Amino acid sequence: MNKHRLLAAGALSALMLGVAPAMAVTVTMNTVQIFGTIDPAKISDYTDYMAAVNLYDGLVTVDGDGNIIPELAESWTVSPDAREVTYKLRDDAKFADGSPVEASDVVYTVERLLRINQGPANLFADVLAPGSVTAVDPKTVKFSLSKTFAPFLTTVPAIMILNADVVKANEGADDGQTYLSTNVAGAGAYGLKSWDRGSQMTITRNPDYYKGFGPGPIDEVHWIITNDEATVRSLAASGELTMTSQFQSPETYKALVDMGRFELVGQDTSTAFYLKLNTKVAPTDDVHIRRALALATDYATIREVILPGGVLSTPLPKAFAAFHADDIPAPVYDLEAAKAEVAQSKYAGAPIPITLGYVAGTKFEEEISLLMQANLEQLGFVVTQQADPWNVITEKAAKVETSPAVNQIFYGPTYPSPDSMFFTQYHSKAAGTWTSMEWLADPEVDAMIDEARGTGDTAKQAEIYKALQRKLVEIQPDVFLLTQTVQHAMDKCLTGFKAVPMQSFDYDFTRYSWKC
């Protein structure tokens, strides 16, 4: 039995009438970490966004080439000084309950986002203030920026619009946070069917979705949370799995392809993979230790054997070609040079304790961490391996003293602008999340990021960003491991995957179809 095509509710009646039954398509995909939240004001990582882009719609969204395209808004205009942006909503835009999406819903969504001040709110720090978003009329909403902010248009897809009436009716004493932790109040193409935080989430297609669907729509998406390779292979062999996560081992990908039902789909991405180095705890508070770690990293083995990927020579992936500092050479593996850096550090002459953190149960991260341990022990480090579940890592990342000296972190743009890679990871105002475990707090870096944000001159921005990359490579707050080559083993009947340079927007299942 093909478990991906199930009889719809009325199938039996249809058979009795001699009519071909309607068939529903379920896609089952594994993901290696839990969904932390589905509240649009609090989402932050790839699984959060994976759910959000299906449960909610924004004013605009992003295509595979990084272009901003209409969603709830059909058009927008920008004032000559770039300080006002006005969006015109589609006349037919409606929430899942059938009520119209209006400008007042956008105003409420932004005001709530600013009040809660979590998740996407850091994108709008010092850019949007309370009262800065106003309803011009029921279908027109205006954003008045506190200052010129060059990337603003690219950040707007992160604002998922709420049904204000529904949230207000359930706001309780916490601005609806309790309600929206388990309920959806949006205009997305899918609704929440079930969610067990530690094991699974299932969403179902809204047949009345205002934008409609293309041929072969996906009726249900079922995510199973597991990073165990044997479990993934078993799910595939049983016929249950349709699509793997992007974090499987090469052996698992091969095993699934060899089954005959799957094909390996892969694309280069703008997602970077780092060793984030806590610059405020021992021993990574010493720049020479950080440089030694970079020199003790066997990049070729990691990229070619453990996890396929491209060269990452600066914090910014080369996908941002116009802004990338091409003059910076690729990092090299050189244990002798690493020893020389250790000798210049304040920790020279004694064993150096260091903690290497990674996501528990993720085989390739464990292999990378063990490879690092073997190299670092040759330099006099005493290594402690610290494997934590993802939710524990995010909790530890909230405080400088609990963030480990080293942690493996994937980070891709949350909006298609270089600013996303720099502000979120390195600016002092963005500290306290898993994306900024460096705890850099460098005034010069802050000033450069602010300057780039404040100019609309693309050539000037490129100049600033290239200088910023040189600065960051010099002070080494991260080890730049690779750019991710995203791979999925996908059922040959499923089509539509295309990498999008904005966090998990490539898993908007309205973009997929079942062709069998």
Side-chain angles (χ1 to χ4, degrees):
M1 181 179 69
N2 187 336
K3 296 185 179 181
H4 307 301
R5 300 184 66 81
L6 308 174
L7 289 177
L12 183 59
S13 308
L15 285 170
M16 293 174 65
L17 293 172
V19 179
M23 304 295 285
V25 175
T26 295
V27 166
T28 298
M29 176 183 178
N30 79 291
T31 179
V32 303
Q33 67 188 43
I34 66 170
F35 295 84
T37 181
I38 55 172
D39 186 334
K42 301 170 78 170
I43 55 176
S44 66
D45 62 27
Y46 96 93
T47 43
D48 294 351
Y49 273 91
M50 188 185 295
V53 297
N54 289 285
L55 299 172
Y56 291 91
D57 277 3
L59 292 170
V60 292
T61 187
V62 182
D63 68 14
D65 297 317
N67 299 311
I68 305 301
I69 57 176
E71 196 159 63
L72 289 169
E74 64 182 12
S75 63
W76 54 93
T77 57
V78 181
S79 65
D81 64 359
R83 295 280 295 274
E84 290 185 351
V85 183
T86 303
Y87 291 89
K88 179 68 175 177
L89 299 176
R90 291 172 56 138
D91 287 335
D92 62 349
K94 62 182 180 179
F95 291 109
D97 67 358
S99 60
V101 178
E102 298 187 334
S104 57
D105 296 297
V106 181
V107 173
Y108 175 81
T109 298
V110 177
E111 292 288 337
R112 179 178 182 270
L113 176 64
L114 297 177
R115 285 195 301 271
I116 293 175
N117 196 31
Q118 296 182 40
N122 72 63
L123 305 183
F124 308 103
D126 300 326
V127 176
L128 293 178
S132 62
V133 181
T134 55
V136 177
D137 60 47
K139 288 293 182 178
T140 309
V141 62
K142 182 171 69 175
F143 288 72
S144 299
L145 280 57
S146 304
K147 61 183 180 181
T148 301
F149 177 47
F152 178 73
L153 291 177
T154 65
T155 65
V156 174
I159 303 174
M160 309 288 184
I161 306 305
L162 291 164
N163 185 329
D165 290 340
V166 170
V167 182
K168 287 177 181 178
N170 296 278
E171 63 184 358
D174 62 357
D175 229 336
Q177 293 183 62
T178 298
Y179 177 76
L180 290 176
S181 68
T182 55
N183 294 277
V184 178
Y190 292 83
L192 183 66
K193 179 179 180 180
S194 65
W195 180 21
D196 181 334
R197 190 176 301 271
S199 63
Q200 66 85 31
M201 177 183 287
T202 302
I203 60 175
T204 54
R205 183 168 70 94
N206 174 12
D208 299 320
Y209 180 51
Y210 70 97
K211 286 172 62 178
F213 296 86
I218 308 305
D219 295 295
E220 186 170 282
V221 181
H222 179 54
W223 286 293
I224 297 175
I225 301 164
T226 180
N227 55 17
D228 180 72
E229 303 289 347
T231 300
V232 174
R233 292 193 291 270
S234 176
L235 289 168
S238 71
E240 184 173 357
L241 193 72
T242 318
M243 178 179 179
T244 68
S245 82
Q246 70 269 48
F247 299 118
Q248 305 307 141
S249 70
E251 294 81 7
T252 294
Y253 288 128
K254 182 180 185 303
L256 267 63
V257 170
D258 288 347
M259 291 178 187
R261 180 166 63 87
F262 295 91
E263 61 184 352
L264 189 61
V265 177
Q267 292 182 21
D268 291 333
T269 74
S270 54
T271 295
F273 189 29
Y274 307 92
L275 298 184
K276 286 185 176 283
L277 311 179
N278 187 339
T279 63
K280 299 297 184 287
V281 300
T284 45
D285 58 344
D286 189 307
V287 68
H288 295 291
I289 294 296
R290 299 198 296 271
R291 291 171 182 166
L293 289 170
L295 289 162
T297 301
D298 188 347
Y299 301 94
T301 296
I302 293 171
R303 289 196 307 262
E304 297 168 14
V305 179
I306 300 176
L307 182 70
V311 173
L312 182 67
S313 54
T314 86
L316 187 70
K318 291 184 178 179
F320 294 98
F323 305 98
H324 188 267
D326 293 332
D327 58 311
I328 297 176
V332 296
Y333 172 46
D334 187 338
L335 284 180
E336 289 303 314
K339 289 178 183 177
E341 288 289 348
V342 171
Q344 296 180 65
S345 77
K346 64 185 179 183
Y347 299 104
I352 306 171
I354 191 167
T355 299
L356 306 183
Y358 64 93
V359 179
T362 306
K363 184 179 178 181
F364 68 86
E365 292 198 7
E366 180 182 8
E367 291 177 355
I368 291 170
S369 206
L370 290 172
L371 177 62
M372 289 298 302
Q373 178 174 349
N375 291 340
L376 293 177
E377 286 177 343
Q378 298 179 58
L379 305 177
F381 288 88
V382 179
V383 175
T384 298
Q385 298 283 357
Q386 183 171 294
D388 287 315
W390 177 247
N391 61 309
V392 174
I393 290 174
T394 60
E395 290 169 5
K396 288 182 174 180
K399 297 180 180 178
V400 65
E401 61 271 17
T402 55
S403 297
V406 182
N407 217 102
Q408 297 182 44
I409 295 291
F410 283 95
Y411 181 69
T414 51
Y415 46 100
S417 164
D419 181 73
S420 176
M421 301 302 293
F422 293 118
F423 181 87
T424 309
Q425 296 191 93
Y426 304 115
H427 200 286
S428 299
K429 290 181 179 178
T433 76
W434 62 271
T435 63
S436 54
M437 294 173 78
E438 301 86 354
W439 295 95
L440 191 55
D442 185 302
E444 184 179 349
V445 169
D446 287 353
M448 296 172 82
I449 294 171
D450 289 339
E451 184 181 4
R453 292 182 132 208
T455 178
D457 184 334
T458 303
K460 179 64 174 176
Q461 282 182 333
E463 178 185 326
I464 297 167
Y465 285 136
K466 290 176 183 180
L468 177 57
Q469 288 166 75
R470 297 184 191 103
K471 169 70 175 177
L472 290 167
V473 168
E474 176 190 354
I475 62 177
Q476 199 81 60
D478 299 307
V479 176
F480 313 119
L481 293 176
L482 54 82
T483 53
Q484 184 184 12
T485 299
V486 67
Q487 295 186 104
H488 296 279
M490 288 176 55
D491 190 297
K492 292 178 180 178
C493 290
L494 182 64
T495 63
F497 173 75
K498 186 175 183 181
V500 176
M502 185 159 182
Q503 200 168 79
S504 294
F505 277 61
D506 20 27
Y507 304 108
D508 174 351
F509 275 91
T510 64
R511 306 182 187 195
Y512 290 69
S513 63
W514 189 263
K515 66 181 182 180
C516 295

